Amino acid sequence: MEKILEVKDLHVTFRTYGGTVKAVRGVDFHLNKGETLAIVGESGCGKSVTSNAIMRLIPNPPGKISNGSIRFKEKEITRLSEKQMRSIRGVDISMIFQDPMTALNPTLTIGTQLVEGLQQHRKISPTEAKAKALDMLELVGIPNATERLKQYPHQFSGGMRQRIVIAMALICDPELLIADEPTTALDVTIQAQILELFERIQESTGVSIILITHDLGVVAKIADRVAVMYAGKIIEVGTKREIFYESQHPYTKGLLNSVPRLDLQGEKLTPIDGTPPDLFSPPEGCPFTARCPFAMEVCDNVYPVTTARSDSHKVDCWLQDERAKQLLATAEK
Amino acid sequence: MLKYIAKRLLIMAVTLWVIVTLTFILMISIPGSPLNSERNTNEVVQANLEAHYNLDEPYYVQYMLYIKSIVTFDFGPSIKQPNQTVNDLLGRGFPISFELGIITIIVALISGITLGILAALRHNGIIDYLAISLAVLGISIPNFVLATLLIQKLAVDWNILPPATWSSPAHMVLPVIALATGPMAIIARLTRSTMLEVLTQDYIKMARAKGLSPWKIVLKHALRNALMPVVTIMGTLLAGILTGTFVIEKIFAIPGMGRYFVESINQRDYPVIMGTTVFYSAFLIFMLFLVDIVYGILDPRIKLHKKGGA
Ligand SMILES: Nc1ncnc2c1ncn2[C@@H]1O[C@H](COP(=O)(O)OP(=O)(O)O)[C@@H](O)[C@H]1O
Ligand SMILES: [Mg+2]
């Protein structure tokens, strides 16, 4: 399968008055063409920072990509000039943000905001641009598109606005769409509609999607693969099946146990105790140690090596080590 | 929209009427009369003069006469400046005052907004600190102090610019600087702070994610939203500039309306007081109306024809 995006050893830091926040600390993942990768994790674990880094939208100062590589097709994103980056943003890679109520400029019409990306990047006449905008509104399911183009954001509901934002992101036919919690701010019924829209769009355009969320329900619905993030690291990654049915990391298991599931009815929901570590001075070892029911001495001191359980399934956890398995086995006897 | 404008015009007329009435009450309640002076005038002459200017009539008749003069926009002759009607004075003074005011507003807006944007874009940089210092200075130095300083340094000591009157563009420089610095500083500070806030908004991030250039983002997406508070305080600024013109015109010996206004009060020149007051008030009220219209154009969420709304 063709890899469209490959992130290696990505580090992002923010210098603040209180010290340096190590928001992303060595993230590796890739995205295949046409698939949907979900990045999940509690809030504050670095999901948005990771996606902003791919777009090179980390505010600098205070933030900075301090190490690592982001390869998008043949291009090394971290080395592009700001000008080169502008010709990628909105054209090759697009982004959707969490809150559709604030992502649209209240003082400009929907039409203006839809076509400005097109006009920036393509040589296109105003009539052609408008026609394309109408097509896009139709694609995302907004009726009366001709009328709607002349309206302002406050004349639309939250769900409608998110559809418009999606139309805006897709208007230049990008190959990669990064959606940062696109449904978090919406009602449950609207959430389902928006997720269906993503699926439909992916079918018709073949766009690859990175979906950031903290909602495993969303993941279950549309992801192909899942990366689980914790304290600035990806601690487990696998296909949706592998993550939902064969998860290995205690954190992943904890996440799964803390949401209701149709296939495991009757089981008790147990939230994960404790809070994530402080990213000013993250622990040397596994960041989950303090909250982990299986923590061993080694976990405190050394970050686990990555264990590949299959081509697609990888875990950063000392429990995967043969010695730990023996230990557990004896403990069970 | 038309209904809104009609309603506003009516409110403006009522406001003007209140101002006129208050002015009239103040006018007759301050001691003295235009015809009293140190010279002892013959009683018959005095009575004749009073009759000529209708000052012998009861107050309500005088009041009605003033109202009539306002409605017909004919304020009659000045009492103190014979052979001149109030309309003459206004016609001569207003264009000059208007020029001073408008140039001042334009200079204050353009320089204030530019300074504010630059400061926000270079947040915590040298330009930002310079702009803030300039703004603090501009806000805290009264315009008459600045005017005197400017005349002393630029006109008298260094002889770069003319110190007074209004006869060429070079003559306009000092009075405009003196009058515009305060409003400019206020506008710069406000633009900077709202711009900083607007730049953190999601729609700005969205615009960046679309690959728009920084200038396009600032001019198309940020500025309009950042200017909203500036438009809101325009009313106050306009009133400030208008009263500022009295002082500045006096200091720079500019033959505008301000001089007549101030002198007319000292001399109890009733028709001129009435004329200038009505003129200034009507002008200010109209400008405030324009500000509201501009506000409605800038922010589509404000519906001018409807009250309240979403
Ligand atoms: N501009 C910033 N300045 C300082 N710290 C930041 C900034 N942006 C993000 N961070 C820090 O980076 C960490 C990860 O944030 P984020 O990626 O937004 O989390 P989430 O997974 O909820 O999207 C947080 O601890 C946050 O405090
Ligand atoms: Mg986030």
Side-chain angles (χ1 to χ4, degrees):
Chain A
M1 235 181 289
E2 192 190 334
K3 281 182 191 168
I4 186 167
L5 180 79
E6 185 153 34
V7 176
K8 279 203 174 122
D9 198 31
L10 179 67
H11 285 76
V12 182
T13 50
F14 292 93
R15 290 183 90 104
T16 67
Y17 291 114
T20 305
V21 183
K22 299 170 191 77
V24 171
R25 310 182 294 133
V27 155
D28 295 279
F29 69 91
H30 73 273
L31 183 70
N32 295 318
K33 206 169 164 53
E35 77 170 350
T36 300
L37 170 74
I39 301 182
V40 295
E42 287 166 300
S43 88
C45 69
K47 305 182 297 289
S48 298
V49 172
T50 305
S51 51
N52 289 337
I54 297 169
M55 281 295 255
R56 282 266 303 274
L57 286 178
I58 302 280
N60 179 3
K64 168 167 146 225
I65 298 178
S66 48
N67 199 9
S69 114
I70 301 169
R71 265 200 114 65
F72 173 73
K73 300 209 289 186
E74 293 313 306
K75 297 192 185 92
E76 176 56 49
I77 296 268
T78 53
R79 293 220 195 88
L80 297 182
S81 70
E82 182 56 28
K83 198 160 171 231
Q84 289 170 313
M85 208 50 228
R86 280 210 293 278
S87 66
I88 287 188
R89 290 189 196 123
V91 184
D92 296 309
I93 312 179
S94 273
M95 197 157 174
I96 295 170
F97 299 99
Q98 174 167 342
D99 192 352
M101 304 313 264
T102 55
L104 294 169
N105 190 329
T107 57
L108 298 174
T109 63
I110 297 306
T112 309
Q113 298 186 61
L114 266 169
V115 297
E116 66 178 349
L118 258 185
Q119 285 173 331
Q120 173 85 22
H121 301 292
R122 307 243 196 276
K123 282 209 177 343
I124 189 168
S125 74
T127 21
E128 283 174 295
K130 198 178 155 200
K132 177 82 186 171
L134 287 175
D135 285 350
M136 290 315 295
L137 286 187
E138 209 155 291
L139 176 74
V140 298
I142 291 189
N144 285 335
T146 322
E147 303 279 296
R148 293 300 226 170
L149 277 185
K150 291 183 222 118
Q151 295 186 330
Y152 289 92
H154 69 275
Q155 292 165 294
F156 293 81
S157 68
M160 283 293 170
R161 287 195 211 186
Q162 195 61 304
R163 285 170 195 267
I164 292 163
V165 171
I166 294 170
M168 257 162 58
L170 293 174
I171 200 159
C172 291
D173 303 311
E175 291 180 68
L176 170 58
L177 178 65
I178 303 174
D180 189 353
E181 314 237 11
T183 59
T184 306
L186 302 174
D187 297 343
V188 186
T189 45
I190 311 288
Q191 279 187 14
Q193 290 172 13
I194 295 290
L195 291 180
E196 268 157 36
L197 177 61
F198 274 113
E199 285 183 306
R200 197 152 54 74
I201 285 167
Q202 193 166 43
E203 250 167 55
S204 62
T205 64
V207 64
S208 316
I209 299 178
I210 294 180
L211 182 80
I212 311 262
T213 180
H214 62 261
D215 182 349
L216 286 165
V218 170
V219 178
K221 207 149 187 291
I222 68 166
D224 297 310
R225 287 191 307 122
V226 184
V228 182
M229 222 174 152
Y230 186 78
K233 284 177 177 282
I234 287 184
I235 49 100
E236 184 164 11
V237 60
T239 61
K240 180 162 72 181
R241 243 206 106 66
E242 284 163 339
I243 294 297
F244 275 86
Y245 296 104
E246 296 158 31
S247 60
Q248 295 298 318
H249 202 288
Y251 177 65
T252 314
K253 290 182 185 166
L255 274 187
L256 288 165
N257 284 336
S258 60
V259 292
R261 282 171 69 172
L262 282 178
D263 55 342
L264 296 176
Q265 270 186 1
E267 301 225 342
K268 244 175 69 191
L269 295 183
T270 42
I272 311 172
D273 280 337
T275 50
D278 172 13
L279 292 176
F280 285 109
S281 50
E284 285 274 302
C286 172
F288 192 58
T289 313
R291 305 167 77 184
C292 182
F294 309 102
M296 301 172 288
E297 215 179 305
V298 61
C299 302
D300 244 339
N301 303 318
V302 190
Y303 188 80
V305 290
T306 303
T307 310
R309 293 181 53 87
S310 74
D311 276 352
S312 50
H313 193 182
K314 298 193 176 74
V315 198
D316 290 2
C317 179
W318 282 122
L319 292 174
Q320 300 301 312
D321 193 280
E322 279 309 317
R323 288 161 289 181
K325 283 182 178 160
Q326 284 168 17
L327 212 77
L328 281 179
T330 43
E332 260 171 43
K333 270 180 204 163
Chain B
M1 188 69 187
L2 274 178
K3 212 171 138 196
Y4 170 80
I5 292 179
K7 206 167 120 196
R8 274 300 296 261
L9 286 175
L10 190 72
I11 296 175
M12 283 155 67
V14 173
T15 315
L16 200 57
W17 171 73
V18 171
I19 292 174
V20 168
T21 309
L22 284 176
T23 310
F24 180 78
I25 295 171
L26 282 173
M27 206 164 76
I28 57 174
S29 57
I30 43 175
S33 132
L35 302 176
N36 283 350
S37 55
E38 287 76 36
R39 282 175 291 144
N40 272 330
T41 21
N42 181 312
E43 269 185 34
V44 182
V45 174
Q46 178 92 8
N48 274 340
L49 278 172
E50 285 192 0
H52 181 251
Y53 293 111
N54 298 314
L55 295 174
D56 53 346
E57 303 280 358
Y59 285 141
Y60 72 92
V61 177
Q62 289 188 33
Y63 178 69
M64 292 318 287
L65 285 171
Y66 279 122
I67 296 288
K68 191 182 145 223
S69 70
I70 290 161
V71 174
T72 56
F73 207 81
D74 178 5
F75 297 99
S78 160
I79 300 179
K80 284 290 170 176
Q81 318 210 13
N83 308 325
Q84 302 239 29
T85 64
V86 178
N87 289 23
D88 288 341
L89 297 182
L90 293 179
R92 216 167 333 120
F94 175 70
I96 296 174
S97 294
F98 183 73
E99 209 171 28
L100 172 62
I102 287 295
I103 296 176
T104 300
I105 291 166
I106 292 173
V107 167
L109 275 176
I110 292 178
S111 56
I113 290 170
T114 313
L115 207 60
I117 294 176
L118 290 178
L121 292 184
R122 300 276 173 273
H123 185 36
N124 288 336
I126 296 171
I127 297 182
D128 192 15
Y129 289 127
L130 273 178
I132 295 175
S133 319
L134 208 70
V136 170
L137 272 179
I139 290 170
S140 41
I141 300 180
N143 53 20
F144 54 87
V145 175
L146 187 60
T148 331
L149 270 174
L150 287 172
I151 294 175
Q152 181 62 40
K153 286 290 155 206
L154 289 165
V156 178
D157 290 355
W158 302 335
N159 210 3
I160 303 172
L161 287 160
T165 73
W166 192 252
S167 36
S168 78
H171 286 83
M172 300 179 180
V173 176
L174 293 186
V176 166
I177 293 179
L179 192 52
T181 301
M184 177 208 73
I186 295 172
I187 293 169
R189 238 176 40 161
L190 195 61
T191 308
R192 173 183 174 274
S193 63
T194 47
M195 194 75 183
L196 280 177
E197 200 203 306
V198 167
L199 287 175
T200 65
Q201 298 290 314
D202 281 356
Y203 56 80
I204 297 298
K205 207 169 163 198
M206 185 83 205
R208 293 184 67 202
K210 283 178 186 171
L212 302 188
S213 64
W215 279 110
K216 198 157 205 176
I217 292 174
V218 167
L219 295 179
K220 193 168 168 188
H221 284 271
L223 189 56
R224 199 178 168 127
N225 290 289
L227 284 189
M228 234 69 95
V230 175
V231 179
T232 313
I233 63 153
M234 264 328 271
T236 326
L237 287 184
L238 283 171
I241 289 174
L242 197 139
T243 45
T245 57
F246 304 159
V247 180
I248 294 299
E249 282 178 13
K250 181 105 189 141
I251 295 178
F252 287 94
I254 296 168
M257 249 168 78
R259 194 179 62 188
Y260 301 126
F261 183 64
V262 176
E263 281 175 6
S264 69
I265 296 171
N266 289 336
Q267 302 176 335
R268 312 286 185 271
D269 194 343
Y270 293 160
V272 181
I273 296 181
M274 256 311 162
T276 42
T277 309
V278 167
F279 206 82
Y280 274 125
S281 331
F283 186 70
L284 190 60
I285 291 172
F286 183 68
M287 289 309 251
L288 295 182
F289 169 66
L290 279 189
V291 166
D292 279 356
I293 300 273
V294 170
Y295 204 76
I297 293 171
L298 277 179
D299 190 347
R301 286 166 299 184
I302 294 170
K303 290 219 182 74
L304 289 182
H305 52 274
K306 241 194 249 163
K307 235 188 163 163

